[in-house]
Amino acid sequence: MREIVLTREDANTEFALLTEWLVEDRTEVSAGQPVCVVETTKATVEVESPGEGTIVQLYAEDVEVELGKTIAYVAETADELAAIDAKAEERPAPKPAAGDRKATRKAVELAELHGVDLSGVEKRGFITEKDVEELIARQKASATPAAGPILAGVSTDGVSLPSTFDLDERAGVLDPSFLASLDHDAFRALSMGSKIAALREAGAQIGEGVDVGEGSLVVASRIVIADGVRLGPRATIVCEEIVAIGELSQFGADLELRCRRAFLGAGIWAGRSIRFGGGGHRDPWATLTVGDLAFVGDEAFVNVCRPVLIGREVFLTMRSMIVTHNIGHSVLEGFENRFAPVVLEDRSQVGLGAVLYAGSRIGAEAIVASNSYVVGEIPAGAFAIGVPAKATGSSSHKLSDARRLELARRMIDDLHELLALRGHAVSAIEEGDPRGFEIDGTRVAFTPSYRGGVEAPAVILALDVRGDVTDGIAVVDLVGRRVHGSGGVVLDSVREFCRKRGIRLEPGPWSYSGGLV
Amino acid sequence: MSLFGVAAGMALRGRRPILEIMFGDFMALGFDQIVNGISKFREMYDDQVTVPLVVRAPMGARRGYGPTHSQSLEKLLLGIPNICVVACSECHDIGALLTAAVEDERPVFFIENKLLYGRPNRRPEDGHIGELAVRESGDPYAALTFSATDFTEGSATIVTYGGMLPIVLDAVTELVLEHEIFCEVVALSQLVPMELAAVLESVARTGALVTAEEGTLTGGLGAEIAARVQEAAWSDLRAPVQRIAARDGIIPSARPLEDAMLPSVEGVVDAVMAIEGAQR
């Protein structure tokens, strides 16, 4: 492989202008063939190919190149070409120079928010927020109304919508006359059985084992509540169009849920005094979705006047706040007036007391640190902190197989210690594979790879599960995050122990009563 | 000193010499000739002679040349009567400026920033340079006025010249892209005698002024411009004039220390932001 390098000829010249390529990229060139024109301060010169082969150009035309840099390679064989390409992949993409950008940060954010293409702005000079506003207005005026109000065109990339989002449109439709004559205070005072019976009678679809706490009110044009849902005491759910809750989801005391549409998934765990709604909760775009297995901490506040999409297994912790509008002072006096959705992609996490401003989007598996203030986007997998929040690193790090095995193996020791400290009779840890101990006649043990052949009763933790799971055996797949087989209080204890290490196991729910830990 | 004397003699004898003093710092050696001869002969001899010489003086730092080869000393020429100081920039028609200087009957000090030698000459095309709209005054030593909004609105005028122009333009671009603050820039080429029509015209639109020069702050071009603009356009100004310049000190050889001494893109951005803050 040969390189074409711009050589530095004198002390005062550091850059040259690569004005023109005389050959197409990745075409055959011969030795001595002029391949490009370079303009220095002293002269305009043609640069010749040092040999025969395929040219790979590293720069576009009309760019300044630092002297001493390689501007192209000439590959003599296919292997060399592959080596050049492999090298190119390692190289980070070049940062766009200031001159390459012509849209302002505000313009780019607004365009992303509305999903408009900046190439639609026809203008000489910079593209500003005002230009994008005009483009949006033009598109609105000319186009048929785009997305309906349910998700208002918000991208669901990276968001697993909850299991309840695609319900049959006839499911759980209430008799309008029931709603018209409903006395809210009187309904709150009814016993749980009477409430559920009255709602079912009116057309609501309510599953088995649903627990509606004392003093609670559930009103919506459509109500679909799956099996095992628990609503804490004094819940207030008032939705104009629909409330749908997936199985086994539970909400603590004093829940307030007011919006036009609420699609809540299965296996959600939400604490007490949580409020969804606030200003604009009756707006046409007031849609809330919360993905399966999401967590919402105590006293969280989520304003829903534009769509709020919370993905699967999102961790929205205590007192965090989401706002979708800002209407402080007059737009005609230059104050910002903003209505915009907020999206939390799957498995993202929001720390205690963090605030997500209208238009925020948290990428999948990104973490926002406590008390941060998010304006705009946090990239997937980033750790972001600050006011305003900025990505400072990654939300997780790559584990080697050996390190993962070591951490998993240690879990048995930690569980053993915890049970002993809680006063339960546990046997000493027995080395071997599986390695573990006994509690209440049940063996609890870890094996890197489960292949069957374990004596019941047992709860086995494994990184890889392939063997049959027979009666009396429960196998916890720590990597696939799934429980195979069933078990009693010991399995519940293991699940709870795993949950406290962020390992949430399916099938749900997330928390277990009666565990030993 | 003798070079200046030889050039002065040639000019008095009807030639049009171009004296290049590589490193403008060494102009100090010719100061007696400049102050007591070159600038005075015409008036002292009642217009019977002219001294049409051109002194090409490379100025400026950012190459690590140290304290005596990096200065911007054109401010020392301020206030010397009967001379002309012209500074070219990468956006001016440099050939036309030099031709005008040679044709000028006055002694012309032609200031060239060293970094210019390694950069392309970016002239307006179709009234624009990059994303910025540009107007050029019709004077032989033209002033260029840049606008980020095609002259419809502006938060401040930044007046500059020579090697500071690319730094100011980078700052203006950053202000637009990051903050949507739109500035106008006036790039002067005629520094002495001071001609500020383009600056006053721009300040009438923007209501605020920042001066930016690479020389040291005290007694610089910015100080003179500020004095003249507040005198002529006090009622147009809504904030105090901000001056951006090198610190009053010598220029170190180490590049990072040199950068710390000299005006920067951030400095210009901060000055404009300060004006915006003062306005709110």
Side-chain angles (χ1 to χ4, degrees):
Chain A
M1 173 197 333
R2 294 168 193 272
E3 294 180 19
I4 302 179
V5 179
L6 289 188
T7 48
R8 187 169 171 170
E9 306 284 348
D10 67 278
N12 283 324
T13 311
E14 286 166 348
F15 290 91
L17 187 67
L18 201 173
T19 47
E20 189 187 356
W21 285 104
L22 301 171
V23 293
E24 292 281 311
D25 192 17
R26 288 173 187 272
T27 53
E28 296 302 309
V29 293
S30 55
Q33 181 183 349
V35 293
C36 66
V37 179
V38 173
E39 189 182 317
T40 69
T41 49
K42 308 255 194 260
T44 298
V45 292
E46 286 185 351
V47 177
E48 296 175 355
S49 172
E52 192 177 315
T54 307
I55 188 165
V56 180
Q57 300 168 357
L58 302 180
Y59 289 88
E61 285 184 353
D62 215 21
V63 291
E64 274 191 15
V65 180
E66 199 180 330
L67 294 178
K69 293 270 180 199
T70 301
I71 58 166
Y73 293 107
V74 177
E76 286 161 64
T77 63
D79 285 352
E80 282 186 7
L81 196 60
I84 292 166
D85 287 342
K87 220 192 228 172
E89 274 170 27
E90 283 169 20
R91 221 186 342 235
K95 229 172 117 186
D100 297 346
R101 259 180 76 198
K102 56 183 286 192
T104 68
R105 192 168 47 76
K106 285 181 181 170
V108 171
E109 280 175 13
L110 189 65
E112 279 174 1
L113 197 62
H114 291 266
V116 300
D117 186 353
L118 285 173
S119 63
V121 178
E122 284 170 16
K123 187 192 175 195
R124 181 83 201 243
F126 293 106
I127 298 174
T128 64
E129 192 178 25
K130 186 165 143 252
D131 297 322
V132 178
E133 280 167 1
E134 282 168 8
L135 177 68
I136 292 165
R138 253 203 329 276
Q139 289 185 349
K140 263 190 191 163
S142 65
T144 46
I150 295 186
L151 292 182
V154 178
S155 164
T156 57
D157 287 352
V159 180
S160 304
L161 292 170
S163 46
T164 50
F165 190 73
D166 290 318
L167 288 171
D168 185 300
E169 62 187 30
R170 287 159 303 184
V173 177
L174 266 71
D175 179 356
S177 62
F178 168 81
L179 290 168
S181 62
L182 186 68
D183 176 337
H184 289 186
D185 291 337
F187 185 88
R188 279 187 199 276
L190 294 176
S191 71
M192 182 168 86
S194 312
K195 275 178 197 168
I196 291 176
L199 290 172
R200 279 181 179 150
E201 175 72 28
Q205 189 178 304
I206 298 180
E208 295 307 312
V210 170
D211 189 320
V212 179
E214 193 186 325
S216 293
L217 170 69
V218 182
V219 189
S221 299
R222 293 173 60 198
I223 298 174
V224 178
I225 299 178
D227 295 349
V229 167
R230 296 161 67 99
L231 296 173
R234 299 174 302 282
T236 300
I237 298 180
V238 179
C239 295
E240 299 283 311
E241 292 182 26
I242 182 171
V243 57
I245 310 177
E247 60 182 14
L248 297 172
S249 285
Q250 45 186 298
F251 296 83
D254 301 302
L255 167 73
E256 187 177 322
L257 169 57
R258 291 176 194 272
C259 60
R260 195 158 269 276
R261 307 166 204 90
F263 302 98
L264 313 177
I268 293 168
W269 192 92
R272 61 174 177 76
S273 300
I274 290 165
R275 192 166 164 229
F276 295 99
H281 66 267
R282 292 160 61 115
D283 279 6
W285 308 275
T287 302
L288 169 70
T289 77
V290 182
D292 296 344
L293 296 167
F295 170 94
V296 185
D298 295 349
E299 298 173 43
F301 169 65
V302 177
N303 170 229
V304 187
C305 78
R306 287 297 176 277
V308 174
L309 273 51
I310 297 175
R312 184 189 161 86
E313 291 184 56
V314 162
F315 219 74
L316 185 66
T317 64
M318 265 187 89
R319 292 195 178 175
S320 46
M321 271 196 248
I322 295 176
V323 293
T324 49
H325 76 295
N326 170 19
I327 51 166
H329 295 290
S330 168
V331 279
L332 302 181
E333 291 169 28
F335 291 97
E336 183 175 62
N337 177 217
R338 193 172 174 99
F339 292 86
V342 171
V343 179
L344 284 82
E345 294 181 7
D346 292 353
R347 289 163 61 92
S348 57
Q349 180 178 332
V350 177
L352 309 173
V355 178
L356 312 186
Y357 185 56
S360 301
R361 188 176 190 107
I362 315 297
E365 298 193 349
I367 293 180
V368 174
S370 298
N371 285 322
S372 294
Y373 182 79
V374 179
V375 185
E377 284 195 30
I378 303 296
F383 175 82
I385 185 167
V387 179
K390 291 202 173 98
T392 58
S394 296
S395 58
S396 64
H397 59 275
K398 203 175 153 76
L399 281 185
S400 67
D401 289 348
R403 178 72 179 146
R404 181 178 296 110
L405 181 62
E406 186 190 327
L407 290 172
R409 205 189 288 278
R410 196 180 299 161
M411 282 171 62
I412 280 293
D413 300 81
D414 292 348
L415 177 60
H416 181 258
E417 183 188 15
L418 179 63
L419 289 167
L421 288 172
R422 294 288 296 247
H424 300 293
V426 286
S427 73
I429 288 184
E430 205 176 300
E431 298 299 332
D433 184 18
R435 171 179 177 274
F437 59 88
E438 237 176 64
I439 179 165
D440 288 350
T442 301
R443 187 164 165 71
V444 179
F446 170 78
T447 177
S449 183
Y450 176 79
R451 295 282 181 276
V454 172
E455 214 172 291
V459 174
I460 305 295
L461 288 78
L463 292 175
D464 172 37
V465 179
R466 293 202 196 151
D468 291 334
V469 177
T470 47
D471 272 359
I473 309 276
V475 182
V476 176
D477 179 348
L478 293 170
V479 175
R481 293 188 286 125
R482 179 159 280 281
V483 175
H484 303 270
S486 55
V489 69
V490 176
L491 176 61
D492 280 358
S493 311
V494 170
R495 291 186 67 137
E496 181 65 6
F497 174 80
C498 288
R499 183 175 78 85
K500 287 179 175 161
R501 272 146 190 79
I503 305 167
R504 299 186 288 276
L505 303 164
E506 286 195 75
W510 271 24
S511 67
Y512 318 93
S513 51
L516 305 172
V517 299
Chain B
M1 183 162 172
S2 55
L3 278 176
F4 280 85
V6 169
M10 289 172 74
L12 284 167
R13 297 288 296 162
R15 307 277 182 119
R16 290 184 180 269
I18 300 175
L19 168 61
E20 190 197 345
I21 43 164
M22 188 168 156
F23 294 112
D25 309 65
F26 306 144
M27 200 147 58
L29 292 166
F31 250 70
D32 181 57
Q33 294 283 358
I34 296 169
V35 174
N36 291 318
I38 292 167
S39 67
K40 292 198 168 67
F41 290 146
R42 185 171 178 170
E43 256 188 299
M44 279 163 53
Y45 296 106
D46 193 21
D47 273 347
Q48 294 175 76
V49 296
T50 58
V51 194
L53 62 79
V54 175
V55 180
R56 286 184 56 198
M59 299 282 191
R62 303 183 204 275
R63 293 192 59 89
Y65 290 168
T68 58
H69 293 69
S70 306
Q71 302 165 88
S72 295
L73 294 180
E74 54 275 12
K75 75 173 185 182
L76 299 182
L77 299 165
L78 263 180
I80 299 177
N82 303 324
I83 63 163
C84 189
V85 179
V86 175
C88 56
S89 81
E90 65 180 56
C91 296
H92 280 94
D93 184 343
I94 297 169
L97 290 180
L98 190 56
T99 305
V102 172
E103 288 170 353
D104 204 317
E105 292 303 322
R106 297 170 293 184
V108 178
F109 293 81
F110 197 82
I111 310 300
E112 305 166 15
N113 189 282
K114 290 178 199 84
L115 296 188
L116 265 178
Y117 303 134
R119 297 178 70 102
N121 193 191
R122 300 193 296 152
R123 290 287 294 149
E125 280 172 35
D126 193 17
H128 283 77
I129 294 178
E131 313 309 332
L132 299 166
V134 185
R135 287 178 183 166
E136 189 160 13
S137 74
D139 309 312
Y141 304 121
L144 298 172
T145 306
F146 298 75
S147 165
T149 60
D150 214 4
F151 301 97
T152 55
E153 62 171 296
S155 295
T157 298
I158 308 172
V159 56
T160 189
Y161 66 90
M164 271 303 283
L165 180 61
I167 287 167
V168 168
L169 293 182
D170 282 354
V172 164
T173 301
E174 185 180 325
L175 283 161
V176 173
L177 294 179
E178 291 302 316
H179 307 287
E180 291 214 354
I181 292 174
F182 306 99
C183 293
E184 291 193 8
V185 176
V186 179
L188 299 173
S189 65
Q190 182 177 319
L191 307 182
V192 176
M194 200 167 264
E195 173 49 65
L196 297 177
V199 176
L200 293 170
E201 212 174 279
S202 175
V203 167
R205 283 189 293 268
T206 64
L209 182 67
V210 175
T211 70
E213 65 197 300
E214 196 184 310
T216 49
L217 182 74
T218 302
L221 272 290
E224 183 63 25
I225 294 170
R228 291 181 185 223
V229 170
Q230 65 85 20
E231 206 168 28
W234 177 250
S235 58
D236 285 339
L237 293 168
R238 61 174 200 283
V241 176
Q242 303 277 320
R243 281 182 301 159
I244 299 293
R247 300 184 195 201
D248 286 333
I250 68 165
I251 296 173
S253 298
R255 285 289 292 118
L257 294 177
E258 194 180 21
D259 282 341
M261 203 70 193
L262 296 170
S264 62
V265 172
E266 295 74 42
V268 178
V269 168
D270 289 350
V272 174
M273 297 290 275
I275 287 174
E276 284 292 283
Q279 186 193 0
R280 274 162 210 256

mmCIF file of all heavy atoms in Angstrom, chain A residues 149 240-241 259-261 279-287 304-306 325 339:
data_model
loop_
_atom_site.group_PDB
_atom_site.id
_atom_site.type_symbol
_atom_site.label_atom_id
_atom_site.label_comp_id
_atom_site.label_asym_id
_atom_site.label_seq_id
_atom_site.Cartn_x
_atom_site.Cartn_y
_atom_site.Cartn_z
ATOM 1 N N PRO A 149 -53.569 12.610 17.002
ATOM 2 C CA PRO A 149 -53.090 13.180 18.260
ATOM 3 C C PRO A 149 -52.572 12.147 19.254
ATOM 4 O O PRO A 149 -51.914 12.512 20.210
ATOM 5 C CB PRO A 149 -54.321 13.887 18.809
ATOM 6 C CG PRO A 149 -55.484 13.171 18.208
ATOM 7 C CD PRO A 149 -55.023 12.658 16.881
ATOM 8 N N GLU A 240 -60.226 10.939 29.969
ATOM 9 C CA GLU A 240 -61.302 11.262 29.027
ATOM 10 C C GLU A 240 -61.629 10.074 28.133
ATOM 11 O O GLU A 240 -62.782 9.728 27.945
ATOM 12 C CB GLU A 240 -60.868 12.412 28.118
ATOM 13 C CG GLU A 240 -60.564 13.696 28.834
ATOM 14 C CD GLU A 240 -61.807 14.440 29.251
ATOM 15 O OE1 GLU A 240 -62.701 14.605 28.398
ATOM 16 O OE2 GLU A 240 -61.884 14.835 30.427
ATOM 17 N N GLU A 241 -60.617 9.437 27.586
ATOM 18 C CA GLU A 241 -60.879 8.395 26.590
ATOM 19 C C GLU A 241 -60.654 6.985 27.107
ATOM 20 O O GLU A 241 -61.498 6.129 26.955
ATOM 21 C CB GLU A 241 -60.000 8.631 25.344
ATOM 22 C CG GLU A 241 -60.423 9.880 24.588
ATOM 23 C CD GLU A 241 -59.599 10.104 23.336
ATOM 24 O OE1 GLU A 241 -59.067 9.124 22.772
ATOM 25 O OE2 GLU A 241 -59.498 11.276 22.918
ATOM 26 N N CYS A 259 -55.452 12.207 32.438
ATOM 27 C CA CYS A 259 -55.001 12.561 31.095
ATOM 28 C C CYS A 259 -56.078 12.057 30.138
ATOM 29 O O CYS A 259 -57.101 11.539 30.557
ATOM 30 C CB CYS A 259 -53.632 11.962 30.770
ATOM 31 S SG CYS A 259 -53.566 10.187 30.825
ATOM 32 N N ARG A 260 -55.833 12.241 28.840
ATOM 33 C CA ARG A 260 -56.842 11.805 27.884
ATOM 34 C C ARG A 260 -56.769 10.298 27.684
ATOM 35 O O ARG A 260 -57.769 9.614 27.684
ATOM 36 C CB ARG A 260 -56.634 12.549 26.559
ATOM 37 C CG ARG A 260 -57.793 12.473 25.627
ATOM 38 C CD ARG A 260 -57.780 13.597 24.628
ATOM 39 N NE ARG A 260 -58.515 14.752 25.111
ATOM 40 C CZ ARG A 260 -59.835 14.903 25.000
ATOM 41 N NH1 ARG A 260 -60.581 13.963 24.447
ATOM 42 N NH2 ARG A 260 -60.422 15.975 25.452
ATOM 43 N N ARG A 261 -55.541 9.797 27.536
ATOM 44 C CA ARG A 261 -55.361 8.352 27.319
ATOM 45 C C ARG A 261 -54.206 7.867 28.162
ATOM 46 O O ARG A 261 -53.135 8.485 28.125
ATOM 47 C CB ARG A 261 -55.012 8.043 25.858
ATOM 48 C CG ARG A 261 -55.963 8.615 24.849
ATOM 49 C CD ARG A 261 -55.381 8.573 23.445
ATOM 50 N NE ARG A 261 -56.039 9.586 22.660
ATOM 51 C CZ ARG A 261 -55.615 10.839 22.559
ATOM 52 N NH1 ARG A 261 -54.497 11.219 23.145
ATOM 53 N NH2 ARG A 261 -56.299 11.711 21.856
ATOM 54 N N GLY A 279 -51.276 20.509 34.330
ATOM 55 C CA GLY A 279 -51.855 21.412 33.334
ATOM 56 C C GLY A 279 -51.979 20.772 31.964
ATOM 57 O O GLY A 279 -51.076 20.091 31.518
ATOM 58 N N GLY A 280 -53.108 20.990 31.319
ATOM 59 C CA GLY A 280 -53.296 20.514 29.940
ATOM 60 C C GLY A 280 -53.606 19.041 29.833
ATOM 61 O O GLY A 280 -53.512 18.474 28.750
ATOM 62 N N HIS A 281 -54.033 18.416 30.945
ATOM 63 C CA HIS A 281 -54.231 16.961 30.883
ATOM 64 C C HIS A 281 -55.449 16.551 30.038
ATOM 65 O O HIS A 281 -55.621 15.387 29.738
ATOM 66 C CB HIS A 281 -54.318 16.351 32.286
ATOM 67 C CG HIS A 281 -55.525 16.787 33.061
ATOM 68 N ND1 HIS A 281 -55.498 17.865 33.917
ATOM 69 C CD2 HIS A 281 -56.776 16.311 33.090
ATOM 70 C CE1 HIS A 281 -56.702 18.016 34.452
ATOM 71 N NE2 HIS A 281 -57.491 17.094 33.956
ATOM 72 N N ARG A 282 -56.280 17.529 29.676
ATOM 73 C CA ARG A 282 -57.415 17.199 28.794
ATOM 74 C C ARG A 282 -57.119 17.534 27.337
ATOM 75 O O ARG A 282 -57.971 17.381 26.471
ATOM 76 C CB ARG A 282 -58.664 17.952 29.262
ATOM 77 C CG ARG A 282 -59.184 17.458 30.597
ATOM 78 C CD ARG A 282 -60.066 18.518 31.223
ATOM 79 N NE ARG A 282 -61.209 18.787 30.366
ATOM 80 C CZ ARG A 282 -62.477 18.529 30.713
ATOM 81 N NH1 ARG A 282 -62.740 18.036 31.899
ATOM 82 N NH2 ARG A 282 -63.448 18.789 29.875
ATOM 83 N N ASP A 283 -55.914 18.022 27.029
ATOM 84 C CA ASP A 283 -55.553 18.373 25.648
ATOM 85 C C ASP A 283 -55.692 17.148 24.728
ATOM 86 O O ASP A 283 -55.524 16.021 25.182
ATOM 87 C CB ASP A 283 -54.096 18.872 25.583
ATOM 88 C CG ASP A 283 -53.973 20.337 25.996
ATOM 89 O OD1 ASP A 283 -54.985 20.904 26.440
ATOM 90 O OD2 ASP A 283 -52.874 20.882 25.871
ATOM 91 N N PRO A 284 -55.949 17.396 23.443
ATOM 92 C CA PRO A 284 -56.083 16.263 22.511
ATOM 93 C C PRO A 284 -54.845 15.373 22.464
ATOM 94 O O PRO A 284 -54.938 14.209 22.111
ATOM 95 C CB PRO A 284 -56.291 16.939 21.151
ATOM 96 C CG PRO A 284 -56.698 18.338 21.434
ATOM 97 C CD PRO A 284 -56.175 18.696 22.786
ATOM 98 N N TRP A 285 -53.694 15.915 22.816
ATOM 99 C CA TRP A 285 -52.437 15.147 22.699
ATOM 100 C C TRP A 285 -52.005 14.537 24.032
ATOM 101 O O TRP A 285 -50.881 14.068 24.159
ATOM 102 C CB TRP A 285 -51.325 16.066 22.199
ATOM 103 C CG TRP A 285 -51.696 16.805 20.950
ATOM 104 C CD1 TRP A 285 -51.577 16.350 19.675
ATOM 105 C CD2 TRP A 285 -52.259 18.121 20.864
ATOM 106 N NE1 TRP A 285 -52.041 17.300 18.803
ATOM 107 C CE2 TRP A 285 -52.460 18.392 19.488
ATOM 108 C CE3 TRP A 285 -52.629 19.082 21.813
ATOM 109 C CZ2 TRP A 285 -53.011 19.608 19.052
ATOM 110 C CZ3 TRP A 285 -53.166 20.278 21.367
ATOM 111 C CH2 TRP A 285 -53.354 20.544 19.997
ATOM 112 N N ALA A 286 -52.891 14.602 25.040
ATOM 113 C CA ALA A 286 -52.489 14.173 26.386
ATOM 114 C C ALA A 286 -52.515 12.653 26.495
ATOM 115 O O ALA A 286 -53.458 12.056 27.030
ATOM 116 C CB ALA A 286 -53.404 14.819 27.423
ATOM 117 N N THR A 287 -51.464 12.021 25.951
ATOM 118 C CA THR A 287 -51.364 10.565 25.977
ATOM 119 C C THR A 287 -50.201 10.146 26.861
ATOM 120 O O THR A 287 -49.099 10.685 26.733
ATOM 121 C CB THR A 287 -51.101 10.012 24.551
ATOM 122 O OG1 THR A 287 -52.157 10.433 23.701
ATOM 123 C CG2 THR A 287 -51.009 8.498 24.560
ATOM 124 N N VAL A 304 -48.773 15.613 31.728
ATOM 125 C CA VAL A 304 -49.160 15.023 30.451
ATOM 126 C C VAL A 304 -50.094 15.986 29.731
ATOM 127 O O VAL A 304 -51.303 15.964 29.952
ATOM 128 C CB VAL A 304 -49.869 13.661 30.645
ATOM 129 C CG1 VAL A 304 -50.113 13.002 29.300
ATOM 130 C CG2 VAL A 304 -49.063 12.741 31.543
ATOM 131 N N CYS A 305 -49.535 16.882 28.904
ATOM 132 C CA CYS A 305 -50.417 17.644 28.016
ATOM 133 C C CYS A 305 -49.981 17.390 26.576
ATOM 134 O O CYS A 305 -50.709 17.679 25.639
ATOM 135 C CB CYS A 305 -50.445 19.135 28.353
ATOM 136 S SG CYS A 305 -49.041 20.068 27.797
ATOM 137 N N ARG A 306 -48.782 16.850 26.430
ATOM 138 C CA ARG A 306 -48.306 16.309 25.159
ATOM 139 C C ARG A 306 -47.880 14.876 25.480
ATOM 140 O O ARG A 306 -47.684 14.543 26.650
ATOM 141 C CB ARG A 306 -47.114 17.124 24.626
ATOM 142 C CG ARG A 306 -47.487 18.497 24.093
ATOM 143 C CD ARG A 306 -48.422 18.409 22.894
ATOM 144 N NE ARG A 306 -48.852 19.731 22.438
ATOM 145 C CZ ARG A 306 -49.850 20.419 22.967
ATOM 146 N NH1 ARG A 306 -50.529 19.932 23.987
ATOM 147 N NH2 ARG A 306 -50.183 21.593 22.473
ATOM 148 N N HIS A 325 -44.956 21.194 29.096
ATOM 149 C CA HIS A 325 -45.297 22.536 28.617
ATOM 150 C C HIS A 325 -44.699 23.600 29.510
ATOM 151 O O HIS A 325 -44.297 23.338 30.636
ATOM 152 C CB HIS A 325 -46.806 22.722 28.502
ATOM 153 C CG HIS A 325 -47.503 22.926 29.811
ATOM 154 N ND1 HIS A 325 -47.561 21.965 30.780
ATOM 155 C CD2 HIS A 325 -48.165 24.004 30.294
ATOM 156 C CE1 HIS A 325 -48.244 22.436 31.817
ATOM 157 N NE2 HIS A 325 -48.619 23.660 31.553
ATOM 158 N N PHE A 339 -44.607 23.610 24.086
ATOM 159 C CA PHE A 339 -45.395 22.396 24.302
ATOM 160 C C PHE A 339 -44.657 21.295 23.571
ATOM 161 O O PHE A 339 -44.482 21.390 22.364
ATOM 162 C CB PHE A 339 -46.797 22.536 23.702
ATOM 163 C CG PHE A 339 -47.669 23.525 24.405
ATOM 164 C CD1 PHE A 339 -47.633 24.866 24.065
ATOM 165 C CD2 PHE A 339 -48.515 23.116 25.422
ATOM 166 C CE1 PHE A 339 -48.431 25.790 24.721
ATOM 167 C CE2 PHE A 339 -49.318 24.033 26.076
ATOM 168 C CZ PHE A 339 -49.282 25.369 25.732
#
